[in-house]
């Protein structure tokens, strides 16, 4: 859950600077966090 929240937060911050808007980047960041979670967890152990 933390990775999704972190990705969504970063996406929202990017959305304030880059079009097409914060909602698009929020969703993209959340999806990226969800996709990256297994890879990050696997490298940690």
């Amino acid at each position: 859950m933390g990775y999704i929240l972190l990705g969504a937060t970063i996406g929202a911050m990017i959305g304030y600077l880059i079009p097409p808007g914060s909602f698009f980047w929020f969703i993209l960041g959340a999806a990226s966090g969800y996709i990256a979670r297994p890879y990050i967890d696997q490298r940690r152990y």
Side-chain angles (χ1 to χ4, degrees), residues 18-42:
I18 301 174
S22 59
F23 183 72
F24 171 77
W25 288 104
F26 178 82
I27 297 298
L28 189 64
S32 298
Y34 179 76
I35 292 168
R37 182 183 49 140
Y39 299 108
I40 294 170
D41 287 342
Q42 186 179 35

